Amino acid sequence: QVQLVESGGGLVQPGGSLRLSCSASGRIFSIYNMAWYRQAPGSQRDLVASITNGRVTNYADSVKGRFTISRDHAKNTVYLQMNSLTLDDTAVYYCNVYYRLAGRSYDYWGQGTQVTVSG
């Protein structure tokens, strides 16, 4: 069982920045593939950005050039730096880890952190 603890959400004005953090439990962080998803009210949960265990990144078109995902293996933490935030970025952001081990797939979610862009 992997536990994910997210932090860094909050209220920010349009054009502002936030950095989300997600700390993962477990001794095999290096094999985790990590991702951030978001879900706005009345909408489905969508992928925002992902980073593989080899640090290959992928972004939703709507955040390319504004958001950056990174990971720190020493701290078992993945980050999402969000710049130039717009009203459309308002959502609950969820951290996700997925990996395969000994032929099995594993998929875990954090509790979510609210990001509100307003002002």
Side-chain angles (χ1 to χ4, degrees):
Q1 184 80 9
V2 175
Q3 293 184 329
L4 302 172
V5 179
E6 299 134 330
S7 61
L11 175 64
V12 64
Q13 292 184 339
S17 298
L18 282 175
R19 188 177 80 157
L20 305 183
S21 300
C22 173
S23 296
S25 65
R27 300 179 180 179
I28 52 174
F29 182 80
S30 62
I31 77 166
Y32 296 168
N33 299 297
M34 308 291 295
W36 287 97
Y37 286 75
R38 67 186 180 187
Q39 187 169 21
S43 299
Q44 65 182 18
R45 189 174 297 187
D46 292 325
L47 177 68
V48 176
S50 64
I51 184 167
T52 69
N53 52 25
R55 300 183 189 271
V56 176
T57 59
N58 180 55
Y59 296 94
D61 287 342
S62 60
V63 306
K64 283 180 181 177
R66 301 188 298 122
F67 290 12
T68 302
I69 189 170
S70 61
R71 62 192 294 165
D72 184 334
H73 284 210
K75 296 182 178 179
N76 278 19
T77 300
V78 63
Y79 303 98
L80 185 68
Q81 178 65 45
M82 305 185 294
N83 299 328
S84 303
L85 286 161
T86 72
L87 301 179
D88 290 341
D89 295 316
T90 295
V92 178
Y93 284 70
Y94 295 91
C95 180
N96 170 256
V97 60
Y98 57 100
Y99 63 96
R100 287 184 61 83
L101 184 65
R104 292 184 59 185
S105 296
Y106 297 85
D107 189 26
Y108 299 99
W109 293 88
Q111 81 284 355
T113 185
Q114 177 70 47
V115 172
T116 302
V117 184
S118 179

